[in-house]
Amino acid sequence: MSSAATEHPPILRSYASAALDRLAGWFFALPPERSAYTLRPLTIPLPDGVSLAADLYWPDGALPQPLGLVLVQGCYGRAAPFSFTVRVLAARGYAVLFVSTRGTFGSGGGLDPGRSEKADAQEVVRWMRQQSWYPGQFATAGASYLSYTQWALLHDPPEDCIASAIIAGPHDYARHHWGTGSFRMDRITWSDALVRQEDAAATRLYSAVSQAIFGASDIDNVLMGLPVAERVKEHFGDEAPWLPKAMSAPDVCDPYWAPTRHQMALDKATAPILLVSGWYDPFAAQTLEQYVRLRERGCSAALTVGPWTHVQAAGLKCMPDMIRFLDEHVARTAADGEMHRGRAARIFVTGAEEWREMSAWPPATTSHELYLHGDKSLTTERPPVDAAPSSFTYDPADPTPTIGGVQLSNGGRVDDSIYASRTDLLVFTGSLVEEEIEVLGKPAIRLAHSSDIPFVDLWIRLSEVNTAGVSHNICDAFQALDPERDPSAPVQLTLQDCAHVFRRGTRIRLIIAGGSFPLFARNLGTEGNRTVGSEMRAARHTIQHMAGSTKLVLPVAADGGDPTGAS
């Protein structure tokens, strides 16, 4: 094993690292280790004069040669906790090239998240092919941003890339920022963490002192302030220059976003792909889109969706899946009874609280319609033609709060009962479920909706009220409505995918609001880019019920559809 770009001799795995590796393997029920490993720091030169810092992990001892080579590229550094995945793979016989993306942790150039990964990844692969240790083919792996870098590479997939394990990550950066018509505010908190990540100890101390004295962190004040764009500039100064640019480009088709959109990868990728996400992962919608598109093209695509947040899905919970996948498609050591996936989708069904193997997602379903009534009930009966409407007022000065759901942090399945006591939204609750209702796929809602001003958003949540009367979230939808829409036409929205069983004695709940803050930048009720405005106007929303004009449609398991088996 040699390379002209080697800067240091190999570093043997320490006893402390070995202990941590084995503890992680035990805790997450991973296959046993196959080898020890060494780490060799490298520098990868790029044609534009920038060099990327990398570490090459190499199995050592028990194996005559590595089972395969895995490329991992990310922006969060190469130490723990982000090295855990790499170390787990190296201890199970895989060589791993772990690269820090441009502008991070020893890699040269300026950091501009999402924009250079496509070109840089191709150059990393060209360099890798020239090394004496290169085995002639490789796989990719990684979670979150380390998944985005894989899609950037697969925009023009190398022929020698034979498999990809893509965990909880997007392929379209623009849609994540502005796909709903409102700016995702977690891009601000994420950017704040990104620019301070290489001085983590000082950042933690600063944040703790600030919160203790002022009751809120600086970044919380940025999110609450108006105009948001000005508060961002004041907070970051010359740091995070990408953020003002992203906030000033609300059109996802703006040329600014072109380098960050990798839909083409879904149409070009041919090697086997493992996709993993969680029902409360903000990237779950794109993960499921990736799976459907790859399956439509006949690609070998396996899907795992757990009851996880982003952090849980991106952590070591997915490692048993990843190792089996790589053993089958890269090392080709899996015996017939140890193949990664007998069927294509492994889905956790909430409510039933069980894993199910499915041949595809979504499975066959039929429609179950529930109508919204003026008394805030939710039933299978249509309201009369003279049914009175329901209304609520959304005030951007006191925005409806985000509670749980698909946040980058602080998300997940939570008690959202507090929504029922708020007056700035509508809550519709069904009667006790008498026979189990199994929802598999995307719920949809048709709203006979109007507002007294054209600049409004809608946030929809499907929840379950359990037998103790406590409400918990299942899935959401958010959309900024077109101010030039036809007010007489119903609003049709699709919620995020879910797999949930409403058991006997529970109740179905639907929540309708005019915002979800601070997850999404609040609609100020005025024209123009909401991130640069400061004037606010409250909006009155009205929902018509007459003759069943507003309804919720649940995709329920079809009789004789995809057979499933609990595991």
Side-chain angles (χ1 to χ4, degrees):
M1 182 184 68
S2 64
S3 168
T6 298
E7 295 180 342
H8 302 283
I11 302 169
L12 294 174
R13 178 169 67 162
S14 68
Y15 289 114
S17 293
L20 286 173
D21 291 348
R22 287 164 186 157
L23 180 62
W26 168 80
F27 187 81
F28 290 99
L30 302 180
E33 291 191 359
R34 295 184 173 114
S35 67
Y37 57 80
T38 61
L39 179 155
R40 186 187 293 266
L42 301 174
T43 298
I44 302 174
L46 302 182
D48 64 356
V50 166
S51 294
L52 303 183
D55 293 329
L56 179 62
Y57 287 74
W58 199 267
D60 182 56
L63 296 174
Q65 61 183 10
L67 298 176
L69 174 66
V70 181
L71 172 62
V72 179
Q73 301 176 90
C75 64
Y76 301 122
R78 303 183 308 284
F82 300 99
S83 64
F84 271 127
T85 296
V86 172
R87 287 157 48 181
V88 162
L89 293 177
R92 281 148 188 87
Y94 289 92
V96 185
L97 180 64
F98 192 7
V99 184
S100 284
T101 54
R102 184 179 290 251
T104 67
F105 292 89
S107 289
L111 174 60
D112 192 354
R115 301 184 67 79
S116 63
E117 281 68 14
K118 176 175 175 286
D120 286 357
Q122 294 291 339
E123 294 302 332
V124 168
V125 170
R126 290 189 185 97
W127 172 86
M128 194 167 60
R129 290 171 180 149
Q130 298 170 8
Q131 309 311 305
S132 61
W133 44 261
Y134 182 63
Q137 59 186 22
F138 69 99
T140 63
S144 191
Y145 197 89
L146 287 68
S147 282
Y148 171 80
T149 60
Q150 294 180 72
W151 286 120
L153 175 64
L154 295 177
H155 194 114
D156 187 10
E159 292 183 359
D160 43 349
C161 180
I162 60 172
S164 296
I166 300 180
I167 316 300
H171 60 276
D172 190 327
Y173 216 49
R175 280 172 45 205
H176 183 66
H177 282 74
W178 280 103
T180 63
S182 179
F183 185 73
R184 279 191 70 105
M185 300 285 273
D186 59 12
R187 298 295 82 194
I188 300 174
T189 53
W190 179 77
S191 294
D192 188 60
L194 199 62
V195 299
R196 304 178 196 284
Q197 63 180 342
E198 298 190 45
D199 188 21
T203 299
R204 285 195 296 270
L205 178 62
Y206 173 80
S207 298
V209 172
S210 175
Q211 194 157 357
I213 296 175
F214 301 108
S217 67
D218 279 359
I219 203 64
D220 289 335
N221 294 328
V222 172
L223 300 179
M224 292 295 299
L226 292 176
V228 178
E230 288 189 13
R231 301 291 82 78
V232 164
K233 290 178 181 177
E234 291 173 359
H235 176 78
F236 286 96
D238 295 333
E239 297 180 310
W242 61 85
L243 195 51
K245 295 176 183 177
M247 296 176 72
S248 65
D251 183 356
V252 297
C253 295
D254 189 302
Y256 168 79
W257 291 112
T260 74
R261 310 193 70 187
H262 304 297
Q263 181 73 29
M264 187 70 70
L266 308 188
D267 296 326
K268 286 185 174 182
T270 57
I273 293 179
L274 168 65
L275 299 168
V276 179
S277 189
W279 293 126
Y280 313 108
D281 175 14
F283 302 117
Q286 289 202 35
T287 297
L288 292 165
E289 176 188 343
Q290 294 156 11
Y291 173 75
V292 170
R293 179 58 186 146
L294 292 170
R295 292 275 298 185
E296 287 175 347
R297 295 180 46 237
C299 294
S300 173
L303 174 70
T304 297
V305 185
W308 304 322
T309 63
H310 178 67
V311 172
Q312 291 169 332
L316 293 180
K317 286 182 179 292
C318 67
M319 285 307 299
D321 228 5
M322 182 188 294
I323 291 169
R324 287 194 298 270
F325 174 79
L326 294 174
D327 283 353
E328 178 178 349
H329 295 289
V330 180
R332 304 193 185 281
T333 59
D336 289 345
E338 299 173 344
M339 303 298 274
H340 164 254
R341 184 68 52 80
R343 308 182 79 186
R346 186 168 184 258
I347 303 296
F348 189 88
V349 181
T350 56
E353 304 305 307
E354 63 186 20
W355 287 96
R356 298 191 186 171
E357 303 287 336
M358 302 182 182
S359 60
W361 179 267
T365 58
T366 59
S367 295
H368 180 68
E369 297 183 346
L370 295 170
Y371 295 94
L372 284 63
H373 292 255
D375 62 358
K376 307 305 183 293
S377 63
L378 195 61
T379 77
T380 56
E381 298 180 2
R382 290 175 179 265
V385 293
D386 59 350
S390 300
S391 297
F392 67 93
T393 297
Y394 173 79
D395 184 358
D398 182 21
T400 308
T402 304
I403 302 174
V406 290
Q407 302 185 68
L408 200 56
S409 60
N410 302 318
R413 180 181 182 271
V414 299
D415 178 351
D416 63 4
S417 304
I418 193 172
Y419 282 131
S421 64
R422 294 186 65 92
T423 59
D424 60 344
L425 46 74
L426 297 173
V427 176
F428 299 86
T429 307
S431 57
L432 293 177
V433 172
E434 296 180 356
E435 295 185 8
E436 287 188 353
I437 300 173
E438 186 171 303
V439 181
L440 302 171
K442 298 177 185 288
I445 187 166
R446 186 185 72 182
L447 292 172
H449 170 274
S450 61
S451 56
D452 61 348
I453 60 174
F455 309 107
V456 294
D457 300 340
L458 281 172
W459 176 76
I460 313 292
R461 168 169 285 181
L462 177 66
S463 292
E464 176 190 78
V465 181
N466 65 19
T467 55
V470 179
S471 176
H472 292 92
N473 55 301
I474 298 171
C475 60
D476 304 339
F478 183 96
Q479 184 61 52
L481 300 187
D482 183 351
E484 298 181 1
R485 67 192 181 279
D486 178 359
S488 66
V491 175
Q492 313 241 16
L493 295 178
T494 301
L495 281 71
Q496 292 159 327
D497 284 81
C498 67
H500 183 81
V501 174
F502 290 93
R503 291 195 177 277
R504 293 180 61 185
T506 63
R507 298 174 188 266
I508 299 172
R509 171 166 286 179
L510 189 74
I511 304 168
I512 302 175
S516 180
F517 180 83
L519 182 55
F520 296 101
R522 49 191 151 167
N523 195 319
L524 303 178
T526 56
E527 188 173 7
N529 185 338
R530 63 188 66 198
T531 69
V532 299
S534 58
E535 178 187 351
M536 293 184 284
R537 293 177 59 192
R540 185 72 172 170
H541 294 251
T542 300
I543 307 296
Q544 298 291 342
H545 303 289
M546 50 190 180
S549 52
T550 293
K551 65 180 179 181
L552 170 67
V553 181
L554 300 176
V556 300
D559 293 337
D562 185 4
T564 61
S567 61

